[in-house]
Amino acid sequence: MRRTALFLSLLAAGTLGQAQAAPADPAKSSVKFVFTQMNVPVEGQFKKFAADIAFDTTKPDTGKVNIAVDLAATDAGSSDANQAVQMKEWFNTGSYPKATFSASQFKPLGGGKFSATGQFSVKGKTANLTVPFTVKPDAKGSWYEGSFPLSRLAWKIGEGEWSDVGAVADAVQVKFKLYVAK
């Protein structure tokens, strides 16, 4: 009877068979992006984000990840660009302050490589996104690293006069490096 009650309470709490989520260390982690402006690659970064990761490489089907990026803390390479990305045509941070990614579907790809499929939301649009990543454990935790391309126009980032890909290319490469301590 006690064993059944314990089992049911663990099941209700959602902890049975799932790893506990742990926050990424912001001092060791980064979320960056590369875009091309006037045929020149420009690297930027999101200075504020939160990432909670529960992932066991031996049981990827129990994994979960939630990432929220504060778009108002975007460093796009210059103070003018940092102000511009806040505007309605770009991230519209007044209405959509965060971009999020939540995944609970993981697929092993071999050699410490995996993919995560989940819901990506930015600027009022939500869609499925598959993100490849690697896991590199060390003595004190694990590194989760990856990159993936985004079409900024598909997400309505850079509308109006900025939809001209001659000035700013459509393709944006997002790169992340997240460290989670044990």
Side-chain angles (χ1 to χ4, degrees):
M1 180 81 157
R2 278 188 185 172
R3 192 175 274 166
T4 302
L6 177 61
F7 174 80
L8 291 174
S9 65
L10 287 172
L11 186 61
T15 59
L16 190 63
Q18 292 183 352
Q20 295 297 310
D25 182 338
K28 293 183 177 182
S29 302
S30 64
V31 180
K32 297 180 178 184
F33 56 92
V34 178
F35 64 98
T36 304
Q37 183 172 4
M38 305 298 277
N39 295 320
V40 176
V42 178
E43 185 170 275
Q45 68 177 328
F46 299 107
K47 291 184 171 188
K48 285 184 174 179
F49 58 90
D52 290 314
I53 300 171
F55 191 74
D56 181 339
T57 59
T58 64
K59 297 183 249 174
D61 56 325
T62 65
K64 288 190 180 199
V65 64
N66 291 299
I67 300 172
V69 174
D70 181 350
L71 296 173
T74 301
D75 180 353
S78 71
S79 60
D80 288 343
N82 295 348
Q83 289 176 359
V85 297
Q86 310 294 317
M87 297 171 26
K88 183 178 180 182
E89 295 83 5
W90 290 94
F91 288 135
N92 192 5
T93 58
S95 295
Y96 307 104
K98 295 194 183 299
T100 61
F101 179 67
S102 296
S104 59
Q105 296 178 341
F106 296 87
K107 180 179 177 184
L109 303 175
K113 297 178 183 178
F114 299 86
S115 68
T117 300
Q119 294 288 295
F120 176 67
S121 295
V122 66
K123 202 174 178 185
K125 180 178 180 179
T126 301
N128 278 338
L129 180 67
T130 299
V131 176
F133 67 97
T134 60
V135 179
K136 297 176 185 172
D138 69 18
K140 296 181 180 180
S142 292
W143 290 96
Y144 299 86
E145 297 180 44
S147 67
F148 57 96
L150 279 180
S151 161
R152 69 175 180 84
L153 296 177
W155 296 92
K156 297 184 180 180
I157 300 170
E159 296 180 277
E161 69 179 284
W162 295 106
S163 61
D164 175 11
V165 295
V168 179
D170 181 38
V172 177
Q173 192 71 23
V174 179
K175 303 184 294 184
F176 59 92
K177 186 175 186 178
L178 306 170
Y179 185 75
V180 176
K182 287 183 184 177

